[in-house]
Amino acid sequence: MEFMLDTANIEEIKNYVELLPIAGVTSNPSIVKNEGKIDFFNHMKKIREILGAERSLHVQVVATSYEGMLKDAEAILKNIDSKVYIKVPVSTEGLKVIKTLKQQGINVTATAIYTKFQAYLAIAAGADYIAPYYNRMENLNIDPRDAVGEMAKEIARTNSKTKILAASFKNVGQVNSALENGAQAATMGVDIIKQAFAMPSIKQAVADFTSDWEVIFGEGVTISSLK
Ligand code: G3P
């Protein structure tokens, strides 16, 4: 299972890469917008430095034509590094781009997936990851559990190497359900992680353990300070 951060915020990435078993970082033009008018390539290189070579970095093209997307991909690979996963929205032009990039051996994440059909075509085009938009599907009355489940079945049926990188989450229940229905990876904003650990019962359990221990062994005494 791969947990990724859907953010381009350097501080958030630094912090959560230390805290959690993070497998990568994803972004798109809307996420980049939240950081203001950044020095784009340097910013992304800084993210790569924090991630190291083992974690994956997914950066989205902005152009919408076939030629434009290929040029964006080339610029990303040249100015960040050659291991970046190029995120390409699954439109008809996007599928052509995915096929071309895969013929060149480039890492590709097919994104903006709302339907099974988009996913099936992206799998056939050889995308490394497909990113179904979980919450946005739900908003459109498309059942994301069924969709992710069927995508997983299609991957198994076709013996494909594509992984499902579920995205667009508004709560931690959606993340669980994506993973339980067959997604190998999920990308989320740090708001989702904060929400998951804000549960008062978790804090209370830790406080109870401490106070029970301290009743017997004394305040501030931990296992390592036992004589
Ligand atoms: O990774 C996709 C994601 O950023 C879209 O999420 O929250 O805009 O639906 P959202």
Side-chain angles (χ1 to χ4, degrees):
M1 212 165 272
E2 296 174 39
F3 291 92
M4 300 201 198
L5 297 172
D6 207 16
T7 177
N9 185 277
I10 303 277
E11 287 314 309
E12 284 181 354
I13 296 168
K14 263 193 203 152
N15 187 23
Y16 280 90
V17 158
E18 289 221 338
L19 288 171
L20 304 180
I22 296 298
V25 162
T26 56
S27 73
N28 61 37
S30 309
I31 286 173
V32 171
K33 178 184 168 215
N34 295 335
E35 303 309 306
K37 193 144 194 274
I38 48 169
D39 179 351
F40 182 74
F41 294 123
N42 275 330
H43 191 95
M44 289 296 159
K45 277 203 266 194
K46 231 180 259 169
I47 294 177
R48 166 60 83 203
E49 255 172 56
I50 301 166
L51 292 178
E54 295 317 308
R55 297 186 184 90
S56 61
L57 174 60
H58 306 245
V59 180
Q60 190 162 323
V61 296
V62 175
T64 49
S65 68
Y66 171 73
E67 289 79 13
M69 284 190 264
L70 282 185
K71 278 189 190 152
D72 278 357
E74 205 182 305
I76 291 168
L77 297 166
K78 183 171 150 236
N79 295 296
I80 307 174
D81 65 68
S82 59
K83 286 183 72 179
V84 172
Y85 285 77
I86 305 295
K87 281 181 79 182
V88 182
V90 181
S91 57
T92 44
E93 293 82 359
L95 281 161
K96 189 174 170 193
V97 172
I98 294 170
K99 281 199 301 175
T100 303
L101 292 177
K102 285 318 299 171
Q103 275 158 13
Q104 297 170 2
I106 290 161
N107 294 328
V108 173
T109 297
T111 193
I113 294 181
Y114 290 82
T115 66
K116 295 180 211 175
F117 189 59
Q118 278 178 293
Y120 297 159
L121 285 168
I123 294 165
D128 299 283
Y129 287 95
I130 51 170
Y133 276 6
Y134 211 88
N135 187 67
R136 293 193 196 192
M137 280 182 182
E138 231 162 41
N139 289 346
L140 293 170
N141 203 23
I142 298 168
D143 180 354
R145 285 155 291 275
D146 168 63
V148 169
E150 291 302 329
M151 290 172 202
K153 280 190 210 159
E154 175 69 4
I155 289 169
R157 259 195 305 269
T158 54
N159 204 16
S160 153
K161 288 202 182 78
T162 306
K163 293 197 242 181
I164 301 170
L165 167 58
S168 172
F169 293 112
K170 286 293 161 275
N171 62 65
V172 74
Q174 292 176 329
V175 178
N176 290 342
S177 134
L179 296 171
E180 288 156 10
N181 281 284
Q184 291 86 355
T187 187
M188 66 211 79
V190 302
D191 54 315
I192 303 291
I193 300 166
K194 283 185 187 157
Q195 192 190 94
F197 285 97
M199 203 190 252
S201 318
I202 301 175
K203 265 198 187 128
Q204 192 55 50
V206 176
D208 290 347
F209 291 138
T210 307
S211 70
D212 284 344
W213 174 272
E214 288 184 338
V215 165
I216 305 297
F217 294 97
E219 214 181 302
V221 178
T222 61
I223 292 179
S224 68
S225 59
L226 285 175
K227 303 237 166 59

